[in-house]
Amino acid sequence: MGILEEISTLLQQGRAPKVKSLVAQAIEEGIEPQKILEEGLLSGMSVVGEKFKNDQVFVPEVLIAARAMNAGTQVLKPYLIEEGVEEKGTVVLGTVKGDLHDIGKNLVKMMMEGKGLKVIDLGVDVPAETYLQAARENNARIIACSALLTTTMGEMKNVVDMAKASGLDVKVMIGGAPVTQDFADSIGADCYTPDAASAAEAALAFCS
Ligand code: B1M
């Protein structure tokens, strides 16, 4: 079994310390950090997601896998972000109200910081008004919303509507597994991106 496949398997088993050390080993072996993220960590997490959907694993197993995912991304973090880049703008980021998923959001944060953007991380379960208040207080150019549940995506419309009504010069970016370009268009969001790396690119473009 190759090292990336091994990382994926160990992540599915929730073996955080082992995932951490294998990610470090993969870096030492010269494997691209982005490849380790996609073909090791994210690939393992997607198997867990499928099993979760089919009732083959349950919340505790998913949480343990999520912990292993976080252990791996912490090792990757310094390699995914460019050092010494000057600050290019401020982004207010969070997972929308009612939604506690934060792994994707944390990846978005990591990638945005890697592009030299300052990220105010509001965490999870963030009401629309909190995004707006934080954007105002921090003079942010962007509000970035993540949602993983079809039941919480609707909160993004509240953020867009409040941002428009506020008169602030702020763009609203959205993303997360159930979110699509069509949905973004339907609620009038300024930008949808399918993954963390393209979210960071788009945010930088808005700030430039
Ligand atoms: Co939940 N969960 N979960 N869960 N969970 C999903 C999302 C689900 C698809 C599983 C399934 O059924 N297959 C399903 C949603 C179904 C739906 O809405 N249609 C689901 C459900 C139902 C639930 C609960 C309701 C389960 C229950 O309690 N019965 C519950 C809800 C809790 C709540 O939020 N109120 C719940 C709970 C949990 C855990 C707490 C156990 C755990 C979260 C732990 C944590 O986040 N700290 C969890 C997990 C881990 C998952 C799965 C397995 C993995 C999600 C993940 O982290 N993926 C997930 C299944 C799946 O997605 N396949 C599932 C890895 C992550 C990197 O991907 O977040 O999509 P993702 O981010 C991607 C892109 O989407 C994008 O960038 C990343 C890639 O680069 N992206 C953005 C994300 N945000 C972005 C923002 C952007 C741009 C791109 O711009 C701003």
Side-chain angles (χ1 to χ4, degrees):
M1 193 191 291
I3 190 163
L4 297 180
E5 205 183 326
E6 210 177 330
I7 290 170
S8 165
T9 305
L10 289 163
L11 183 143
Q12 293 164 46
Q13 295 165 352
R15 294 171 63 187
K18 202 76 183 103
V19 167
K20 197 172 165 182
S21 66
L22 271 191
V23 169
Q25 189 186 322
I27 298 239
E28 272 172 33
E29 288 179 12
I31 302 175
E32 281 289 309
Q34 191 66 31
K35 193 172 160 103
I36 302 171
L37 177 67
E38 279 164 19
E39 294 178 25
L41 300 172
L42 288 177
S43 128
M45 205 57 189
S46 104
V47 175
V48 174
E50 260 319 286
K51 289 187 172 166
F52 190 32
K53 186 166 84 185
N54 299 324
D55 287 336
Q56 291 169 293
V57 297
F58 300 95
V59 171
E61 288 99 319
V62 180
L63 274 176
I64 293 167
R67 198 180 56 191
M69 170 93 197
N70 281 330
T73 48
Q74 281 315 308
V75 179
L76 282 184
K77 188 172 178 179
Y79 301 92
L80 289 171
I81 64 178
E82 295 162 36
E83 292 300 325
V85 279
E86 70 185 71
E87 220 165 86
K88 310 256 173 44
T90 301
V91 180
V92 163
L93 169 71
T95 304
V96 296
K97 186 173 161 186
D99 200 323
L100 304 176
H101 295 85
D102 68 355
I103 298 174
K105 169 191 71 68
N106 294 342
L107 274 180
V108 171
K109 179 182 180 186
M110 201 187 286
M111 299 291 183
M112 285 183 172
E113 286 178 342
K115 293 279 177 205
L117 295 159
K118 179 178 173 187
V119 180
I120 313 286
D121 185 356
L122 301 175
V124 297
D125 194 15
V126 181
E129 50 276 22
T130 306
Y131 287 101
L132 266 297
Q133 191 186 341
R136 191 174 285 111
E137 284 169 2
N138 294 283
N139 197 21
R141 298 292 311 279
I142 296 168
I143 292 177
C145 306
S146 180
L148 265 287
L149 299 172
T150 44
T151 49
T152 58
M153 286 162 65
E155 183 66 11
M156 290 171 159
K157 179 165 170 25
N158 295 337
V159 178
V160 170
D161 290 347
M162 283 183 90
K164 284 190 176 141
S166 72
L168 291 175
D169 181 17
V170 69
K171 303 278 183 201
V172 180
M173 295 180 56
I174 64 170
V179 181
T180 60
Q181 184 64 55
D182 281 351
F183 176 74
D185 294 342
S186 76
I187 64 167
D190 296 294
C191 177
Y192 158 74
T193 55
D195 57 56
S198 52
E201 295 281 345
L204 185 62
F206 278 132
C207 290
S208 305

